[in-house]
Amino acid sequence: MKYATIKNCDIANGPGVRVSLFVSGCTHRCKGCFNEVAWDFDYGEEFTQQTIDDILSMLRPDHIRGLTLLGGEPFEPQNQGPVVELLRQVRKKYPDKSIWAFSGYVFDKDILSGRLGPWEVTKEFLSYLDVLVDGPFVEAKKNLSLRFRGSENQRLIDVPASLQSGEVILWQDWQGTGKEIKK
């Protein structure tokens, strides 16, 4: 897998100050995408253990709330394995940091269908997520006033609650602080 960039001080893609990994490769090719350069699976730098170590180091400060995965598309089958290895190490070292992912795939239609590569890998990927922002960016539904998403069709999904209940449960920011509410 390759990655387009890593931001170590991102405040736009989840609550608080976050580290964000923008993976390379996306087959959605949404019209109006803010990151077209990352559609190419060969764009950017090689994702290695050194990359993971760098991300773990960036996550160390207490003011960093968590990790966000974007793209490109983290759920592309060829990206899932390396992303899961990163998430294993993040959860082991920083169990209290939140993990968010953005995907053009729809959670209940595409991701849970098992068609995005080996189900065991996808299932493990989901097990590490706190919030998934799902659905393709739809330029006709673009809304700049939305929090943490670009178009009105996209949802902020509480992944643990959704997996437990068997239905989509939307993430709620009860205190207005951006803090994930653990169920």
Side-chain angles (χ1 to χ4, degrees), residues 9 18-19 23 25-26 29 62-63 68 71 107 110 122-124 127 131 143 148 168-169 172 179-180:
C9 190
R18 311 183 69 74
V19 174
V23 303
C26 182
R29 302 190 181 282
D62 289 340
H63 72 276
T68 299
F107 178 70
D110 302 317
T122 304
K123 184 175 166 185
E124 184 177 358
S127 76
V131 174
N143 183 339
F148 306 131
V168 175
I169 306 293
Q172 298 295 319
K179 178 174 173 35
E180 289 81 5

Side-chain angles (χ1 to χ4, degrees), residues 3-4 17 31 54 69 116 122 140 155 170 177-178 180:
Y3 68 95
V17 180
K31 182 181 178 189
D54 292 345
L69 306 164
L116 299 177
T122 304
R155 304 175 294 180
L170 298 181
T177 62
E180 289 81 5

Side-chain angles (χ1 to χ4, degrees), residues 107-122:
F107 178 70
D108 41 338
K109 177 183 166 206
D110 302 317
I111 296 172
L112 293 180
S113 73
R115 69 175 182 84
L116 299 177
W119 172 242
E120 288 305 314
V121 177
T122 304

